[in-house]
Amino acid sequence: MRRDPATGAPDLFSCARDYLHAYMPRVRALSPKTIEAYRISLECFPGYLAEAEHTGREHACFDHFDRQHLKAWLAWMTDERHYAPKTVALRLSAVKAFLAYACQEDITLVALSQAAGALKTPAQPRKPVDHLTAPQTRAILAAFTGNTAKSRRNRMLLILLYDTAARVSEITGMTLQDLSLTEPGHVTLTGKGNKTRVVPLTGKTIAHLRVYLTEFHPGIARLPATRPLFYSPHHGQPASLSADTVSAVLKQAARAARQNCPSMPGNIHCHLLPKTKAMDLYQQGIPLPVIMRLLGHENATTTSAFYAFATLDMMRAAISAATPAINSPATDRLSEDKLQALYSLR
């Protein structure tokens, strides 16, 4: 790490440049959007120093990343800038990650990183997961009647988006080589940071895909393996769909489905189908670690926090199963030890 020639202290901005322009894209293989989000979060702290501490950006250094300054920064984001708790947490997380990298490059920064790591933001209120009900899901997937080739493509697109719980970028990036319809049928999805995961396909989806491939990829054995699975013709060649196109397809399906399903939400977005698939599996009793792998979550806490709220039907079923019938009083009196064990439950 470079050091200031006058003081010998580690150079903050050269370290930040290496972090954003070398380490994150080349070593971590993070996407440009992720790196940009980190850059914005990191720039927030010098912005605070300039505005609240009257310290010019050019004078910012690692010494400013002590607990006193960081705590004041957290208060400034909440009280002065009125950032949402989630935004404050993201900003602090980015600074912690940067300091963790910096201390690996220079041992003199370990204490700063450890002090920052102990800081926490206020707990955020958990909200139930937005998802479609079973009738709404059926209406969405049946919205395209298949009267035209484009309609059939869009129908297959939504079916696969739901069945695999894939992100939009994973669906638009799928090629023929990512698809395997032989037993056991599965797809290979490439997500953030070029990380891949294998997701199984249901028998019904495989049947739909066989029909789709016959129409849109005839003579598939002779086609390039990198040919996009879903495409639009562009200058006579198949071009991958954009995320905006997939979003427009879903909104169009929602408008059509709303005629037969008035309860369809007004704000339909592409993350809704993967969330719905995951919630459907959760309601069927599928363990969270399995759902975690399906969604491509690296940390189990991401999934468990996300699906912390059970639906009323799930809670009602669980309570009913654990509650004896009112007309069936217990015949055996609980022992004193068992009563004490129940009273001590936390």
Side-chain angles (χ1 to χ4, degrees), residues 307-324:
Y307 293 90
F309 287 85
T311 63
L312 287 176
D313 289 338
M314 292 174 65
M315 289 189 286
R316 186 180 296 110
I319 293 172
S320 298
T323 305

Side-chain angles (χ1 to χ4, degrees), residues 62 65 70 94-104 109 112-113 116:
F62 277 110
F65 284 83
L70 289 178
V95 167
K96 286 181 178 181
F98 170 62
L99 291 177
Y101 164 80
C103 78
Q104 295 297 322
L109 301 174
L112 278 180
S113 178

Side-chain angles (χ1 to χ4, degrees), residues 156-223:
M156 184 70 254
L157 174 67
L158 295 181
I159 289 174
L160 195 63
L161 189 64
Y162 167 77
D163 196 37
T164 62
R167 300 179 180 89
V168 174
S169 61
E170 294 170 341
I171 285 291
T172 57
M174 281 188 64
T175 61
L176 295 181
Q177 64 186 354
D178 298 324
L179 195 62
S180 176
L181 301 187
T182 57
E183 290 293 336
H186 63 272
V187 295
T188 301
L189 301 176
T190 303
K192 296 180 179 178
N194 289 325
K195 295 175 183 176
T196 62
R197 68 183 187 278
V198 177
V199 176
L201 295 171
T202 62
K204 289 184 178 180
T205 298
I206 291 176
H208 281 295
L209 279 169
R210 292 188 187 280
V211 176
Y212 172 81
L213 292 176
T214 300
E215 178 178 2
F216 288 87
H217 301 280
I220 189 173
R222 299 187 301 272
L223 298 176

Side-chain angles (χ1 to χ4, degrees), residues 116-131:
L119 288 174
K120 293 184 179 180
T121 56
Q124 302 175 39
R126 291 179 175 179
K127 298 180 181 180
V129 179
D130 291 330
H131 65 284

